[in-house]
């Protein structure tokens, strides 16, 4: 078979969708017989929300019609509010959705597109040679069988067997100072502000939803996720391990230490599953390479971060970046697989800086409190808020381009309403087939590149033409009415190679 994906979480299933859009029928191996009901990630933030829209997944995930709207109120950075109202164009998009729903929607979509999902099938070994990869798999009946694949992608968590079997290192740092506690709870109804949704804590003050509070003793957050009981969480430093199961009383005591006052947390209603967990320490690690011959890594198999909540957002974008490139290699149209690591690994390195910055600003101590006061003053300046908002959203990273490329090249495609003879359509809607696109906005039209669908339109923009990769990043752009057609065709040939029949 052409491609096997090990791991049926959001990253592996997103990759399966992308490969299927590229004309490849992948097989996904997932050791769990059913999606895990354990609450994990609580949603998506930033560029990946826009990509969900560009693949027709936003409405399925959000449960509401229409395209995503930018967050223009507030977000957080190291438990400090980013006032997004100071910005003309907010880059932050929020999609609160539990991971279980994300998995179900992506599995449904991957199956629609022709991917084969094998649940209850666990990878036990892997070897490769110059022609392919041999996988040893244990099936649901405990019998072992072998698969032969052209390519294998590990989307199998931070403990990735694919990564270990390929001899790929996972250097980084383990942090053991922090203890995080979280639980679904009930809170006193009269403590809730109906206007802001804030939890008014006597003796402390209002705690805005989804905006963590940092004190000199630790952190506290209140997250009323749609369809679930509120999630309350704390983080403390240098707490001794108890070796006993987590309890609600333990969380209440932690809240008292952090906020200096009692919060009457009750058990959550309904059958669950509900969060009640304690996590000691954390890891920040990045694989020393994302590729070993015919084996690739995405998501937590390639990177984990101790702070920042960015793992799923980053992993799904890994999958979107790799999917069309791997499909092109399998189809024999182009070989740009080496650009997967050169484009995606620097973003993981950037996220390490983001994670470390937040960890430093959340640490205990009066000196950190003083630093936060100065930082808080900076956050009243629109330029600072814009820079941090772009960092949070992942909108500050440009893929490598030639030195004289158009300023838009390497960046995600802008959101445009395109006026065509057949009516107005959003650029995001045109991207749903996952194919290269040439948007011809010149006065005379007539632009062409082999193997690329051309859409002639008008739009409110200074750009006259856009060549988009299947992942909706700009490969080439022009602001002239008579663009250089040779430059356009050479760029298309570099990225997309020889066209194949759709």
């Amino acid at each position: 078979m052409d491609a096997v994906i090990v791991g049926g979480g959001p990253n592996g299933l997103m990759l399966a969708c992308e490969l299927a859009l590229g004309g490849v029928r992948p097989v996904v191996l997932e050791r769990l017989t059913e999606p895990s009901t354990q609450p994990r990630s609580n949603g998506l933030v930033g560029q990946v929300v826009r990509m969900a829209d560009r693949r027709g997944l936003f409405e399925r995930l959000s449960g509401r019609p229409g395209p995503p709207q930018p967050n223009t109120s507030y977000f957080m950075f190291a438990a400090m509010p980013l006032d997004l109202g100071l910005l003309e164009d907010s880059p932050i998009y929020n999609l609160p959705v539990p991971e279980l729903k994300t998995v179900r929607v992506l599995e449904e979509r991957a199956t629609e597109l022709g991917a084969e999902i094998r649940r209850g099938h666990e990878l036990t070994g892997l070897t490769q040679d110059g022609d392919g990869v041999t996988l040893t798999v244990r099936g649901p009946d405990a019998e072992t069988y072998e698969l032969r694949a052209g390519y294998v992608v590990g989307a199998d968590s931070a403990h990735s067997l694919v990564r270990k079997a390929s001899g790929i290192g996972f250097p980084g740092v383990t942090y053991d100072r922090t203890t995080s506690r979280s639980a679904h709870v009930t809170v006193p109804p009269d403590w809730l502000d109906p206007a802001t949704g804030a939890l008014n804590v006597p003796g402390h003050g209002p705690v805005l939803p989804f905006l963590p509070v940092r004190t000199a003793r630790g952190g506290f957050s209140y997250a009323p996720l749609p369809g679930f009981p509120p999630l309350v969480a704390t983080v403390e430093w240098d707490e001794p391990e108890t070796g006993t199961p987590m309890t609600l009383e333990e969380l209440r005591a932690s809240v008292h230490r952090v906020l200096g006052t009692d919060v009457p947390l009750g058990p959550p209603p309904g059958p669950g599953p509900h969060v009640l967990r304690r996590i000691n320490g954390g890891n920040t690690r990045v694989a020393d390479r994302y590729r070993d011959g015919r084996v690739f890594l995405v998501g937590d198999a390639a990177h984990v971060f101790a702070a920042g909540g960015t793992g799923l957002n980053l992993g799904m974008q890994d999958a979107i970046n790799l999917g069309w490139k791997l499909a092109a290699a399998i189809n024999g149209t182009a070989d740009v697989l080496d650009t997967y690591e050169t484009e995606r690994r620097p973003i993981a390195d950037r996220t390490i800086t983001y994670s470390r910055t937040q960890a430093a600003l959340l640490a205990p101590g009066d000196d950190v409190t003083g630093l936060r006061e100065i930082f808080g003053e900076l956050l009243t300046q629109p330029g600072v808020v814009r820079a941090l908002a772009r960092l949070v959203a992942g909108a500050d990273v440009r893929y490598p381009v030639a030195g004289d490329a158009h300023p838009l090249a390497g960046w995600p495609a802008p959101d445009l309403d395109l006026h065509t003879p057949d009516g107005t359509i959003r650029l995001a809607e045109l991207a749903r087939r996952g194919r290269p696109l040439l948007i011809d906005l010149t006065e005379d039209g007539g632009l062409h590149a082999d193997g690329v669908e051309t859409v002639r339109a008008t739009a409110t923009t200074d750009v006259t033409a856009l060549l988009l990769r299947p992942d909706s990043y700009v490969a080439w752009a022009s602001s002239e009415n008579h663009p250089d057609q040779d430059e356009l065709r050479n760029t298309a040939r570099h990225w997309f190679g020889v066209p194949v029949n759709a």
Side-chain angles (χ1 to χ4, degrees):
M1 49 194 63
D2 291 322
V4 170
I5 301 165
V6 181
N11 300 322
L13 292 170
M14 188 75 232
L15 178 59
C17 293
E18 293 298 298
L19 285 171
L21 285 172
V24 174
R25 184 173 182 263
V27 171
V28 179
L29 303 178
E30 169 53 53
R31 64 179 183 83
L32 298 178
T33 57
E34 295 291 337
S36 172
T37 58
Q38 287 295 320
R40 292 179 180 172
S41 68
N42 297 316
L44 305 175
V45 176
Q47 291 297 308
V48 72
V49 178
R50 297 177 65 200
M51 277 309 304
D53 178 39
R54 288 170 174 167
R55 291 298 188 257
L57 295 168
F58 177 77
E59 293 187 3
R60 293 193 190 194
L61 290 169
S62 67
R64 63 177 186 269
Q69 299 299 318
N71 180 346
T72 58
S73 55
Y74 71 88
F75 200 72
M76 70 283 192
F77 182 84
M80 289 181 284
L82 293 177
D83 184 359
L84 303 177
L86 296 174
L87 308 181
E88 292 184 7
D89 298 304
S90 170
I92 293 183
Y93 292 77
N94 305 105
L95 179 51
V97 56
E99 186 167 318
L100 177 59
K101 182 176 181 180
T102 302
V103 167
R104 286 174 173 164
V105 167
L106 290 175
E107 184 167 347
E108 178 184 69
R109 180 57 175 153
T111 302
E112 290 172 0
L113 291 169
E116 180 184 348
I117 315 296
R118 296 187 184 180
R119 287 199 164 272
H121 293 250
E122 181 178 7
L123 178 74
T124 60
L126 175 153
T127 59
Q128 68 167 308
D129 52 46
D131 298 322
V133 186
T134 302
L135 303 93
T136 307
V137 183
R138 182 186 298 115
D141 54 4
E143 291 187 3
T144 299
Y145 65 94
E146 286 190 347
L147 284 179
R148 182 73 174 166
Y151 294 92
V152 170
V153 182
D156 51 341
S157 83
H159 303 288
S160 170
L161 178 59
V162 172
R163 186 188 66 241
K164 295 173 183 177
S166 301
I168 299 175
F170 204 36
V173 178
T174 297
Y175 303 89
D176 57 6
R177 288 193 61 195
T178 61
T179 299
S180 302
R181 298 175 176 88
S182 56
H184 283 127
V185 299
T186 54
V187 297
D190 56 341
W191 284 26
L192 299 176
D193 186 328
T196 64
L199 178 68
N200 292 313
V201 180
H204 172 78
V207 176
L208 288 170
F210 308 106
L211 181 61
V213 170
R214 181 264 180 193
T215 72
R217 299 168 296 280
F220 172 85
S221 64
Y222 165 71
L225 293 161
F228 290 86
L231 185 70
V232 165
T234 64
V235 59
E236 297 181 84
W237 284 263
D238 300 320
E239 283 287 310
E241 290 193 40
T242 64
T244 60
M246 168 75 174
T247 65
L248 196 56
E249 181 55 40
E250 180 182 331
L251 180 61
R252 294 190 195 102
S254 178
V255 171
H256 181 86
R257 289 192 296 270
V258 171
L259 297 183
T261 187
D262 287 322
V263 178
L265 305 175
H274 296 130
V275 171
L276 183 63
R277 65 179 169 226
R278 178 200 310 120
I279 299 176
N280 296 106
N283 290 278
T284 294
R285 298 181 179 277
V286 177
D288 57 24
R289 60 191 189 279
Y290 282 16
R291 177 185 185 181
D292 180 61
R294 292 175 171 270
V295 176
F296 293 83
L297 303 176
V298 299
D300 287 354
H303 44 68
V304 292
F305 305 98
T310 59
L312 182 57
N313 301 296
L314 204 64
M316 290 182 68
Q317 291 182 85
D318 290 344
I320 294 166
N321 184 284
L322 176 61
W324 68 273
K325 297 174 181 178
L326 187 53
I330 292 170
N331 291 328
T333 58
D335 185 2
V336 289
L337 283 173
D338 285 342
T339 66
Y340 169 58
E341 181 169 335
T342 59
E343 291 184 344
R344 295 304 301 170
R345 199 178 188 285
I347 299 176
D349 293 334
R350 173 71 166 166
T351 306
I352 288 179
T353 301
Y354 169 50
S355 177
R356 288 172 176 169
T357 302
Q358 293 209 80
L361 288 167
L362 288 167
D366 293 338
D367 51 347
V368 176
T369 300
L371 176 63
R372 290 174 63 85
E373 289 177 1
I374 297 299
F375 211 89
E377 294 175 10
L378 294 175
L379 291 181
T380 63
Q381 301 178 21
V384 175
V385 173
R386 182 180 301 106
L388 288 178
R390 286 175 59 79
L391 173 62
V392 169
D396 65 335
V397 178
R398 184 187 190 187
Y399 288 156
V401 295
D404 58 349
H406 189 277
L408 276 180
W411 293 104
D415 289 324
L416 294 174
D417 289 327
L418 302 176
H419 308 292
T420 76
D422 297 322
T424 299
I425 189 169
R426 293 189 302 121
L427 181 56
E429 296 174 86
L430 291 176
R432 290 182 178 173
R433 290 197 301 152
R435 305 289 177 85
L437 279 173
L438 174 59
I439 309 299
D440 185 351
L441 304 173
T442 59
E443 292 179 358
D444 301 330
L447 296 183
H448 171 74
D450 289 340
V452 179
E453 179 182 351
T454 301
V455 177
R456 293 184 175 85
T458 61
T460 305
T461 177
D462 295 332
V463 180
T464 58
L466 290 167
L467 178 65
L468 304 184
R469 306 183 339 179
D471 58 2
S472 290
Y473 274 76
V474 178
W476 171 91
S478 175
S479 295
E480 302 175 3
N481 275 322
H482 300 284
D484 186 331
Q485 298 246 28
D486 289 337
E487 185 181 82
L488 163 62
R489 293 180 183 127
N490 289 337
T491 303
R493 191 175 299 112
H494 166 75
W495 283 111
F496 316 128
V498 179
V500 295
N501 293 330

